[in-house]
Amino acid sequence: CDLRSVREAVVSTQSTGIVKFLGFEQIFKNALTNLPIGGGKGGCVFDPKGKSESEVRMLCESFMKGLYRHIGPDLDVPAGDIGVGGREIGYMYGEYVRLRGQPDMGVLTGKSTDFGGSKLRPEATGYGLVYITLEALKKYNHYRYLPESRRAGISTNCFNGLKVLISGSGNVAQFAAEKVLELGGIVCSFSDSTGSITNETGFTRAQLTEVCDLKNVKRGRLSELSGMSGAKYHAGKSVWQLGLNCDIALPCATQNEITVEGARNLVQGGCWCVAEGANMPTTNEAVDVLKSKVDIYIPAKAANAGGVATSALEMAQNSARLFWTAEEVDEKLKGIMNNIFATAYSTAQEFDRPWDLQFGANAAGFLKVYKAYKAMGYLKF
């Protein structure tokens, strides 16, 4: 790790303890990417729900007034997270330029492609989540779970015919769903802070577009889609409380969303693969349940690293004054996620913990940071 870090801005009602711990975790997640970035977390207490465009802009500008002296392309590079998307990054970058009197595109990632952003940055976490899950499915022989009628094309597309539960309805959930549908999977759920919407036969691409439009343009609640064909809205319920049948679960909402009850519901519903798209979405007790009952559990440290990896790719493009195509970025993202899976898998094997990808990811990330500190003389033993 070098002196640069990608500090994901969390705009919500998080405690400083949670932010510090997420920053600690981010260090080891970034180490897994094998890219030259450190790690951290930051943000402010502000609930953007119901706020006007002007209020959000003023908050972002005020936040940058306190932050701009402490960031830079070779110092600290903030990126987006919960509540912080392209709009907020744009407002913060604009204020940074006004305060510094000159542009410096490498100071933030997640920017619009109109001023130094990278292709696929909004899609990266969701796409990366699916890529690493796909790599795990290829490695693990899961055909025994599928009836003959659902095996067509499975040899070339491991998601074909699999039922996938997704929580959340933000960037990660939207683009994970898009990629799952592209690969032939069946997306059966979304959620937000007010409830969940499900479709047991699977949402269509057109319905996914409706969800994206509601969230990204209208900034509305999923309850507004309760009349969608084939869908059912569950007020005040998370996806994991509903006891739905599935093959794969992709929690993409927020931390600690899957409790022991939710984990047991997944197991009873036939789930055999869980990959975490949100930051630490499963409680420790629920992780224990899942690891003892499902065949594949991919922790957030590995599974949702696609976003920060593409932030690093954006930093590289800014430094080199280059602009890669979507195809180039996508190919690099696939390579990074495949490498993360291979690292976690091989490390687990090395310590005689086969398919314990949580242990493999934790050990690999820690060992990389430890070796770097040791080599630089920071450890005196």
Side-chain angles (χ1 to χ4, degrees):
C1 301
D2 67 1
L3 293 176
R4 283 179 260 176
S5 71
V6 179
R7 187 180 303 276
E8 297 182 349
V10 183
V11 177
S12 66
T13 54
Q14 304 292 350
S15 71
T16 56
I18 290 174
V19 174
K20 286 177 181 178
F21 181 69
L22 289 174
F24 180 74
E25 277 286 292
Q26 190 77 33
I27 294 169
F28 302 108
K29 179 199 297 185
N30 292 359
L32 277 177
T33 68
N34 209 31
L35 296 169
I37 47 178
K41 284 280 181 180
C44 62
V45 177
F46 176 78
D47 186 354
K49 295 186 182 71
K51 300 297 191 298
S52 69
E53 195 82 10
S54 294
E55 288 174 313
V56 172
R57 176 180 52 78
M58 287 188 289
L59 178 279
C60 293
E61 290 172 352
S62 296
F63 187 69
M64 183 53 72
K65 282 184 175 73
L67 186 66
Y68 82 98
R69 295 181 181 87
H70 309 288
I71 61 176
D74 295 307
L75 179 62
D76 198 350
V77 182
D81 200 326
I82 298 174
V84 180
R87 175 183 63 166
E88 292 75 20
I89 292 293
Y91 289 150
M92 286 192 281
Y93 181 69
E95 183 64 13
Y96 178 86
V97 172
R98 281 190 287 273
L99 292 167
R100 295 299 298 256
Q102 64 182 44
D104 193 348
M105 289 187 295
V107 74
L108 290 164
T109 64
K111 303 181 296 295
S112 165
T113 52
D114 294 327
F115 53 94
S118 174
K119 291 284 190 180
L120 295 190
R121 178 58 186 89
E123 296 91 337
T125 307
Y127 281 13
L129 170 64
V130 176
Y131 289 152
I132 196 170
T133 306
L134 182 61
E135 195 66 13
L137 297 184
K138 289 177 181 177
K139 191 79 174 177
Y140 191 88
N141 180 11
H142 65 283
Y143 304 110
R144 60 194 171 95
Y145 292 97
L146 304 178
E148 290 291 338
S149 61
R150 292 174 58 193
R151 293 189 188 183
I154 199 75
S155 59
T156 56
N157 187 351
C158 292
F159 266 96
N160 187 64
L162 299 183
K163 295 186 72 172
V164 182
L165 293 183
I166 295 178
S167 64
S169 51
N171 266 6
V172 182
Q174 291 171 25
F175 291 115
E178 178 183 298
K179 187 59 67 173
V180 168
L181 289 176
E182 181 184 315
L183 295 174
I186 303 168
V187 175
C188 298
S189 65
F190 295 101
S191 67
D192 61 18
S193 58
T194 62
S196 303
I197 190 167
T198 60
N199 187 331
E200 293 194 20
T201 60
F203 290 94
T204 65
R205 291 176 184 271
Q207 289 174 327
L208 173 60
T209 300
E210 283 188 60
V211 172
C212 295
D213 181 68
L214 175 72
K215 288 298 178 180
N216 302 337
V217 180
K218 299 175 184 175
R219 301 189 183 276
R221 305 283 94 192
L222 288 177
S223 56
E224 298 172 38
L225 299 178
S226 57
M228 180 182 281
S229 175
K232 184 177 180 180
Y233 181 71
H234 309 267
K237 295 282 188 178
S238 81
V239 171
W240 321 117
Q241 292 176 304
L242 302 176
L244 301 172
N245 295 331
C246 72
D247 297 294
I248 298 174
L250 303 178
C252 299
T254 189
Q255 67 268 7
N256 296 329
E257 58 175 293
I258 299 182
T259 61
V260 170
E261 177 198 0
R264 288 173 178 159
N265 286 339
L266 282 172
V267 172
Q268 290 170 6
C271 179
W272 49 271
C273 175
V274 178
E276 298 179 334
N279 282 317
M280 304 183 72
T282 312
T283 65
N284 289 336
E285 296 78 12
V287 168
D288 292 338
V289 173
L290 292 176
K291 287 178 67 176
S292 66
K293 299 294 185 180
V294 304
D295 293 323
I296 302 173
Y297 169 72
I298 312 176
K301 188 182 279 89
N304 77 0
V308 73
T310 306
S311 278
L313 297 180
E314 183 176 331
M315 292 161 64
Q317 291 171 79
N318 292 156
S319 296
R321 303 296 192 269
L322 294 174
F323 187 67
W324 297 332
T325 65
E327 292 74 20
E328 288 177 299
V329 176
D330 195 38
E331 195 60 32
K332 293 177 189 295
L333 175 60
K334 285 179 185 175
I336 291 168
M337 299 311 297
N338 291 350
N339 183 66
I340 289 173
F341 172 78
T343 300
Y345 178 83
S346 62
T347 304
Q349 295 280 93
E350 182 183 338
F351 284 87
D352 199 25
R353 302 276 290 268
W355 280 100
D356 189 344
L357 298 177
Q358 183 189 39
F359 175 85
N362 285 338
F366 175 83
L367 285 171
K368 186 173 177 65
V369 174
Y370 166 77
K371 289 174 182 176
Y373 265 60
K374 186 75 171 175
M376 289 186 284
Y378 295 150
L379 302 179
K380 309 302 181 184
F381 55 85

